[in-house]
Structure formats: C-alpha cells, structure tokens
Amino acid sequence: MNKSDINNSHMDNPAKPRTAIKLILLLVGAVPLLAGCWDTKDINHRSLPVIMGISLTEENQYKVFLDIPATNETSSVNIVSETGDTINDIIDDISMNMETQVDLLHLKIVIADKNVARRGMEDIISAFNRSRDISSKTLLAISDQPLDQFFSDMEAKSEQNGSIIYDYFEKNAGWNPQLADTRVWQMFRSIHSYTHDVIVPIIRSGQSTSIECLGAAIIKNGRMTGQIGTDETLVANAFYGKSAFGKIEVMDSATVQITSNRLSHHSWLQDGKPYLRSHLRLKVTILDSRGHPTETQIKEKLEELLTLRLNKMFRKTQKEQADILALGQYFRKHLTREQLQDWRSGYYPNLDFKLRITTVVENRGNLKHL
Amino acid sequence: MDKSGYQATILYVVCHMGLIFFLYPSDLFTAMDMGHWIGIGISYALHTAALYVYLKGLTWTAQKNVVDMFRSTGTFFTWLLLIPVFFYFGIAIIITLRAYSEMLTLVFLSSTPLWAIQLLLIGIAFLMAWQGMASMARTGVLLVILFSFPILFVLCLSFQNVDWYYLLPIIDREQTFHFLIKPDFLVSLFVYAGGFFFLGLLPPSIHISLKKMMLGCLLLLPMFLLSVYLPLLTFGQATAELYEFPMLMTIDTVNITWLLFDRITIFFLLSLMAFAMLYLGVTLWILLTLTKRAIPVIPNLYLLIVLTAGLFAISMAIPNWDFLKKLQGWIIPLRMYIFLIVPLITFIIGWRHKHKASRTTEVT
C-alpha cells in the first residue's frame, strides 16, 4: 500500500472506537423504527371479510353484504349488511357500527347481484382498483338468486368452515375448468381494453352442495350482456389454455378428460373483413365408454361437439359484440390503433372465424381396449 | 479499496435499478401509445453514448474529478457549469423523496403519515452520505447480494399473466416521432439522466473500469424493457396508461398458490426501496461534495445537516401529486443539461487535457 492509499482509507472510514460506539448506539436506537408500524390495530380489533356481496335496493342504492369468518366458538361466520350510495361509504358505516375495524385486505371474492351486473360495474371495479387495500386478484362472481337468500343459505351451511366459497374457486382446491375464473384486474382491463372481454361465473346456493354453478355471464365493458352454460365455459377455458383436467361427455359414447391443449392462429384481413382460422389440438384420456365405440368415432364426435359448442357461443358473443375470447388480439398487426378502437363494433360482428379441432387420445386409462 | 472497478459499476447499476421500476413506466405510457421499444431504444442509446463520453473524458484526466476539470476553465465558468448540476440534484432528491413516500403509503403503509416516511428516507440517506462514498460503495455490494434474488424471482413470476399478442404490431403504420418532444417523454428521461454524474466525483480509491461500466449499462437494458413491457403485456396500453404505478399493479396480479405469501409486491418494493435509498444517499453525497468545494470552511457534518433539513422542508412543502408532476416538467431543461451537455463538456475538457499532455511530452 502506498502513502496516498493510506491517506484515503483514513479519510473514508474514520475507524475510531468512540465513533463506532456512537454508531452502534444510533443503530440500536433505530430498531423501533424497523417495524414500520403506525396506528396499528391488533388483529383481534379487526374484521377481515372474505366475501363481499353487492346488490341493488329498490331505491337504486347499493346494499353490501360482508362475510366475516368469526373467531368465537359459537358460530363460524358473521354476515353483516348495510345500504348506502357508494361501496366505501357502506364499508365505513359497517365499520362504525361494529366493535372492530373492517379491513378489506383479505377480501377474496366479490359477488355481484345479477341486477348490479346488468346495470354495469365500472364504478365498483374502478373503486376496487383505486383502493389501497383490496387486492386486484380478488375473484368475481355473479349471483343468480337474491343475495339476502344466498348469504342466509351460506350462513346455514358453513358450520364447519367459513371459507367454502373461497375454496370453491381456488385453483388448488375446488376449482374446475367448467368455472370461469375472472379477477378484478381482468374486469378492469375489459372495461378499458379494445379487445379483451371477460366471462364471470354465475352461482347460486345449491341443494346438496353449498354452491351450484349455472354457467358464466358474458361481460362487455363491465356490463353483463348475456349468459353461457358450463359446457361452453369449458370450451372458452380451453381457448384460454386453462382447460386441463376438464371432463367432456361425448354424446352417448364416452367421457373424456382433457390433459393438455395447444392453440395456433392464422389471421388476415380482406376488404376490411377479418378472417381467423384457429387450430386447437387437444390431448385427452378416456374415462369411460358406453358400448364399444372405436377411437375414431369418439374423436370425430368430440371434435364435432366442441366445434358446435364453440360456434354457438361465438355467434352469441358476436351478436352482443363482446369479444370474450379476445380474438381481436390476433388482428393487432393488421389494424392500426384507431381501427382497433372500433374492433368490437366495426370488425368483430363480421369476423369469419373457423376453429379446427384435432384430438389425440393419449391413453385409455388402465384398460387396454374401449 | 477496490481496484477492479466492480464497486463503481455495482453502485451505478443499483442506483438505476432503484429508479427504473416506479415512475418511469407510467411516464412512458403517457408519452407513447405504440412502439414503446423505439422510445426506450432512443433514450437508452443516448444514455449509453453520454455515459461513454463522460467516462472517456474522465479517464483522459486521470486522478481528477469533474470539479477539478471544470475548474481548469476558470472560476466563473466552474460556477456557471456546476450551479445547474447542484439545483438538478437538489430537486431530484426532493422529487424522489416525495414520490417514493407517496408510493409507499399507496402500497402498504396506508395509515403512516407522509412526513414520517419522508423523514425515514432522508434520515437513511443522511447516514449514508455522512459515512462517505467508500462505505456507500460497500453498501451497494451488500444490497446486491441481499436483494438480487428476490427481485429476479419476482420479475420471473410477473410473466404469469402476459399476453404476447400485445407485442404486436412491432412497428405501427402510423408510428411517428412526435413523442420525442412531448413533456412526458422528456420527464421519463430522468431515469437515464441523473444516475451517472457521481462517477466523476468518486475518490481515487474507487476505480472505474470503462469495460465493466459498459457491461453494467448493458445489464440495465433488459430492466428498462421489462419495466415497460411487463405492464404492457399484462394490461395493454389502454389500461396500463391508467395506472400511477403500472409495474406494481402487474406484480399485484400474480397469483401463486404454493407461495406462503399472498402478495409478492412487498418483496419487490422493499428490495427496490433499499436500492432507491442508496440512490438518495449518493445524490445527497453529490450535493455535499459540490457544496464543500464551493464553501470549504464549513465542516462536512454541519453542511450535511443543513442540506438534509432544507431538502426535507422543501419536499414537505409540496402540496400534492399534481404539483410534483409539474415540478418534474419544469426541470426538463436542467435534466437535458445534466444528461447530454455535462458529459460533452467533460469529454471536451478531457480531450484538450490529453492533447496538451501529449504535446508537452513531445516537447520534452
């Protein structure tokens, strides 16, 4: 080490013992800051609702239901409700009237009444996105029956566990590919995007199971415009690439399970009319068969069935100008940004869309023959 | 003591990482609605050129820093050249302090008052600047070791919801270069402008290796692209431009059932906040070094306390977010000066110095 280096090191770190002690004291003094706590409320002074229900009263006010898992022994869930003009106003009211503070940090599902969905949810979704504590991953669902009844059924059934509805939708628990899976951020994107629309599951309380799914609602720009069945939802999910482990009953001959799917697209524009040819490759395994159909028969019937379902759904969405399969995305390179803005109204209704489905039977389960 | 040039490079990369992911994407989305890579490419090319020219100028006058170099042009010019630099970095600290504390309240400290977060941030920056550049350089190395993994982990997972079709069209038929003069685009240049001036003030104990700096610069390119393209591919331009912090919203959409934690945003945010604190420390240290050269009689510590208190007071006095945005617009000329003109002047002075030196050797 030469002399200038020594000088520099002396200048950079004054390693005197007294400064070191001072520094250590300073650091120890900073420890209380590390928690970053401010006006903290202990967990037993908070209510953390898991489900929020939103419906409309006859005076066109919102009525909000909150499903709060209880911490005491006697009951497993608390259901509270309140009416008001905005969601935040209502939450504030509930918070005021409860002995604890309502905190929406752990909200998992928002269930909207059909009337709310029909009227449009843009304001609600924007408020959720704006808010500091509601996660943008919160799931959406639409209730087919009045929410009063839905929640009272829920309260009666959820004796063991307060999180039934949540498990119902969760990917690692009770989710099935027949169920649409749409989050708050996707709905927000659908409201503002030129090409993406979404489907939202429609549920009601069931007879023997706690929830029953009736299909999915077609949501265009945050407003419910129509409805599709569970079978069609499965096809839509196959299109999104989320169909794995979905089971399809092929008329009178077999039941198959999708193990994987792949999609490829070819799109072009001719005289202002969009054309799209898609190819869906499915891999399936056979679960059961009726009689002794051949593999080709099953494949043919399956392809026919899926094409039929998709075309039915596609025509419905075309009529409502709601692009739930986000087909407009495949025309991004053909249309300019301004043209893309009228994708839903100007191009989508004229779209010539053909889907070719090829299935490969991966295996026949444990049995060799059909 | 670092002779290999790693510390300087790491400090440079860390300072930029702390800036890129927060305010930059939203500014760029406001400025452009298609062909974002063209905007990023142009600003990145300018950044690389400025960095190269600046470092080249510095290496020609070895053992000297920018202040000494500028001094060779005369006292009046030194003041004229360095006062805008001082003001720019002062305002940069104020803006960063205010914007980052607003962001922290938005994301997770919703009941903590702004002043407390601002005080904490500037307090840490004060401690860092007080300890000097050598300790900050070591801190940079430590931060990289601690936080690279969480950042990379989160960045990889954020691809969960991307829709690659949002990349198209690569070049729109109606692509224009009007965005280059839009104020929002010029504001977005702050990530490219203010993060490398400190290299000219490093003490001689920290070496700069031109090759390593350029490699570090190359490492930043994917970061610039990711910060804009992750939100773009997830939400699309029409939605992404509505968010104040698009990158954080993108990470919020990531849903991982097997992970113990519900929101991975916190990991990402806190890791990058540590980097941003280092940036604040470095910038405060630049101000300290410049003031020290201008008024050498006042001891370092008092100078630093006055600077910190002043900056904290000004950033507290900013009334709201809109004013902050306006303030960023007002300093566009200063930003362009730091970004392009300072490196150029450094280059010219360095070149003249080298020329003179080679002539004197010829004569002797």
Side-chain angles (χ1 to χ4, degrees):
Chain A
M1 227 189 243
N2 59 33
K3 201 184 162 198
S4 75
D5 277 350
I6 295 167
N7 275 340
N8 285 329
S9 73
H10 182 74
M11 201 173 70
D12 289 338
N13 357 297
K16 290 175 201 155
R18 273 188 59 201
T19 2
I21 291 170
K22 269 188 209 162
L23 254 180
I24 289 168
L25 280 178
L26 197 69
L27 287 177
V28 170
V31 166
L33 292 176
L34 285 179
C37 294
W38 200 282
D39 291 344
T40 45
K41 286 206 165 98
D42 283 343
I43 190 125
N44 49 340
H45 297 135
R46 289 166 182 249
S47 298
L48 300 163
V50 182
I51 303 162
M52 181 197 280
I54 303 169
S55 67
L56 278 179
T57 61
E58 276 154 22
E59 296 87 44
N60 257 340
Q61 276 189 314
Y62 288 123
K63 182 170 188 186
V64 168
F65 297 79
L66 290 179
D67 174 318
I68 305 166
T71 39
N72 54 8
E73 297 280 311
T74 46
S75 69
S76 65
V77 289
N78 275 329
I79 299 207
V80 289
S81 64
E82 188 77 52
T83 51
D85 287 321
T86 66
I87 307 288
N88 280 305
D89 185 31
I90 299 167
I91 302 292
D92 227 37
D93 266 2
I94 296 177
S95 211
M96 180 180 76
N97 294 335
M98 279 178 76
E99 66 282 9
T100 51
Q101 155 131 20
V102 174
D103 196 333
L104 297 178
L105 267 177
H106 290 274
L107 190 72
K108 296 292 182 200
I109 298 163
V110 174
I111 302 176
D113 188 79
K114 234 178 180 173
N115 295 329
V116 177
R118 285 235 170 80
R119 214 180 71 155
M121 298 181 279
E122 188 178 342
D123 296 343
I124 303 175
I125 299 294
S126 291
F128 283 172
N129 249 283
R130 193 186 302 277
S131 95
R132 298 168 179 205
D133 38 33
I134 297 175
S135 160
S136 54
K137 285 183 292 186
T138 310
L139 276 161
L140 290 168
I142 288 172
S143 163
D144 191 50
Q145 62 192 141
L147 281 179
D148 298 282
Q149 202 189 333
F150 182 82
F151 275 102
S152 63
D153 286 357
M154 257 326 84
E155 201 170 12
K157 269 177 188 151
S158 56
E159 271 149 14
Q160 307 88 11
N161 193 340
S163 64
I164 288 185
I165 308 189
Y166 177 50
D167 287 341
Y168 185 75
F169 287 104
E170 209 27 42
K171 277 267 167 56
N172 57 358
W175 185 78
N176 267 37
Q178 278 89 342
L179 270 176
D181 170 42
T182 298
R183 318 254 159 185
V184 165
W185 69 268
Q186 281 166 319
M187 179 77 101
F188 187 69
R189 176 173 72 176
S190 124
I191 292 170
H192 298 282
S193 157
Y194 306 149
T195 51
H196 270 276
D197 279 310
V198 288
I199 47 176
V200 171
I202 300 180
I203 54 172
R204 60 178 299 134
S205 55
Q207 299 295 321
S208 54
T209 55
S210 46
I211 303 171
E212 216 170 45
C213 180
L214 302 175
I218 302 171
I219 307 273
K220 180 199 173 191
N221 285 128
R223 265 183 49 231
M224 175 175 168
T225 56
Q227 195 171 338
I228 55 175
T230 45
D231 295 341
E232 290 155 318
T233 313
L234 177 67
V235 183
N237 270 333
F239 214 85
Y240 301 146
K242 288 197 284 201
S243 72
F245 306 111
K247 295 179 187 69
I248 302 172
E249 234 172 280
V250 185
M251 288 168 281
D252 308 327
S253 56
T255 309
V256 298
Q257 183 176 32
I258 302 171
T259 55
S260 75
N261 58 359
R262 245 178 56 211
L263 260 173
S264 54
H265 307 276
H266 175 57
S267 63
W268 70 94
L269 212 62
Q270 202 174 13
D271 305 329
K273 186 177 153 80
Y275 290 84
L276 180 67
R277 298 285 173 270
S278 299
H279 187 188
L280 176 64
R281 291 184 197 84
L282 285 177
K283 272 195 175 171
V284 298
T285 69
I286 288 169
L287 296 179
D288 64 44
S289 64
R290 260 178 249 171
H292 294 280
T294 64
E295 218 165 79
T296 2
Q297 274 174 330
I298 295 180
K299 269 163 70 176
E300 268 169 18
K301 276 193 176 159
L302 180 66
E303 283 157 24
E304 196 189 304
L305 181 78
L306 285 178
T307 320
L308 202 77
R309 277 186 196 170
L310 187 98
N311 285 339
K312 202 174 128 206
M313 179 177 72
F314 173 65
R315 267 195 293 278
K316 195 185 271 176
T317 60
Q318 232 178 357
K319 211 176 72 205
E320 279 153 12
Q321 305 185 352
D323 189 0
I324 58 167
L325 299 177
L327 300 178
Q329 286 291 81
Y330 308 118
F331 290 90
R332 292 187 73 88
K333 58 174 183 278
H334 304 298
L335 297 170
T336 61
R337 229 179 135 63
E338 272 98 67
Q339 288 173 314
L340 211 60
Q341 266 182 22
D342 343 299
W343 164 256
R344 284 189 187 115
S345 53
Y347 295 90
Y348 187 60
N350 304 322
L351 173 65
D352 183 317
F353 173 49
K354 294 236 159 49
L355 179 73
R356 194 154 62 87
I357 299 174
T358 331
T359 44
V360 177
V361 177
E362 174 102 18
N363 58 35
R364 293 169 213 90
N366 275 328
L367 300 181
K368 272 185 184 168
H369 305 288
L370 285 168
Chain B
M1 213 75 4
D2 172 59
K3 291 280 178 198
S4 58
Y6 276 115
Q7 282 189 356
T9 313
I10 285 175
L11 210 51
Y12 159 82
V13 173
V14 164
C15 282
H16 280 89
M17 287 285 286
L19 288 176
I20 294 170
F21 289 97
F22 302 124
L23 299 168
Y24 178 59
S26 130
D27 286 331
L28 202 74
F29 285 134
T30 326
M32 318 179 64
D33 48 12
M34 50 198 160
H36 301 79
W37 64 272
I38 300 174
I40 301 173
I42 291 175
S43 2
Y44 179 76
L46 281 177
H47 172 79
T48 318
L51 181 70
Y52 183 80
V53 162
Y54 186 60
L55 289 177
K56 207 70 198 168
L58 282 173
T59 44
W60 277 335
T61 52
Q63 296 296 318
K64 266 194 180 180
N65 62 33
V66 190
V67 183
D68 290 324
M69 282 174 73
F70 283 16
R71 219 168 232 185
S72 65
T73 57
T75 324
F76 174 69
F77 275 108
T78 318
W79 280 87
L80 193 70
L81 290 174
L82 287 178
I83 278 194
V85 176
F86 180 83
F87 273 106
Y88 176 75
F89 284 110
I91 298 173
I93 290 188
I94 293 164
I95 290 172
T96 318
L97 204 60
R98 179 68 182 217
Y100 280 38
S101 42
E102 296 249 7
M103 180 177 69
L104 286 177
T105 55
L106 219 60
V107 177
F108 71 112
L109 296 176
S110 49
S111 55
T112 313
L114 271 181
W115 66 263
I117 305 175
Q118 269 166 289
L119 191 65
L120 183 73
L121 290 180
I122 196 123
I124 293 172
F126 168 81
L127 279 180
M128 284 186 186
W130 181 25
Q131 293 304 307
M133 182 42 86
S135 92
M136 272 194 283
R138 285 192 299 270
T139 314
V141 178
L142 183 69
L143 291 184
V144 166
I145 295 169
L146 286 176
F147 296 123
S148 309
F149 177 71
I151 291 174
L152 285 179
F153 178 74
V154 173
L155 282 180
C156 293
L157 288 174
S158 341
F159 280 95
Q160 194 187 43
N161 293 312
V162 297
D163 179 348
W164 292 103
Y165 281 93
Y166 275 124
L167 273 182
L168 299 171
I170 305 238
I171 298 178
D172 200 277
R173 270 168 287 166
E174 289 170 0
Q175 181 71 47
T176 56
F177 285 92
H178 284 314
F179 68 85
L180 283 175
I181 48 162
K182 273 196 184 173
D184 287 298
F185 181 75
L186 296 174
V187 166
S188 84
L189 289 178
F190 79 96
V191 282
Y192 301 95
F196 60 86
F197 180 79
F198 76 91
L199 294 169
L201 296 173
L202 290 180
S205 59
I206 300 173
H207 277 246
I208 299 170
S209 138
L210 190 59
K211 198 179 136 202
K212 289 201 179 83
M213 286 305 291
M214 285 299 147
L215 281 176
C217 183
L218 197 65
L219 188 74
L220 287 180
L221 179 62
M223 297 302 160
F224 286 119
L225 287 171
L226 280 180
S227 75
V228 173
Y229 272 89
L230 277 175
L232 187 72
L233 294 179
T234 310
F235 299 113
Q237 165 71 25
T239 313
E241 69 183 3
L242 299 172
Y243 292 127
E244 203 69 74
F245 300 104
M247 189 66 201
L248 297 178
M249 287 309 276
T250 311
I251 300 170
D252 257 350
T253 66
V254 176
N255 186 27
I256 317 163
T257 44
W258 49 265
L259 201 71
L260 194 63
F261 305 95
D262 199 35
R263 284 173 90 191
I264 51 172
T265 324
I266 303 288
F267 294 100
F268 187 74
L269 184 67
L270 290 186
S271 307
L272 287 179
M273 271 320 286
F275 288 6
M277 282 172 187
L278 193 68
Y279 168 77
L280 281 174
V282 168
T283 317
L284 197 59
W285 177 83
I286 294 177
L287 288 184
L288 175 69
T289 319
L290 290 179
T291 348
K292 181 76 186 166
R293 293 309 279 273
I295 329 165
V297 279
I298 309 172
N300 256 351
L301 185 59
Y302 297 119
L303 215 53
L304 192 58
I305 289 173
V306 170
L307 276 175
T308 314
L311 291 171
F312 176 68
I314 300 173
S315 92
M316 280 304 297
I318 292 176
N320 58 14
W321 187 258
D322 285 338
F323 185 83
L324 198 71
K325 289 269 159 200
K326 261 190 243 157
L327 185 63
Q328 281 178 303
W330 289 337
I331 59 163
I332 286 173
L334 278 181
R335 182 175 301 120
M336 297 315 283
Y337 171 75
I338 299 285
F339 187 22
L340 301 172
I341 300 179
V342 167
L344 213 61
I345 296 174
T346 317
F347 184 79
I348 294 168
I349 296 175
W351 189 77
R352 270 180 45 199
H353 185 94
K354 184 193 152 209
H355 233 64
K356 238 187 261 172
S358 63
R359 250 191 311 202
T360 28
T361 40
E362 268 169 40
V363 171
T364 49

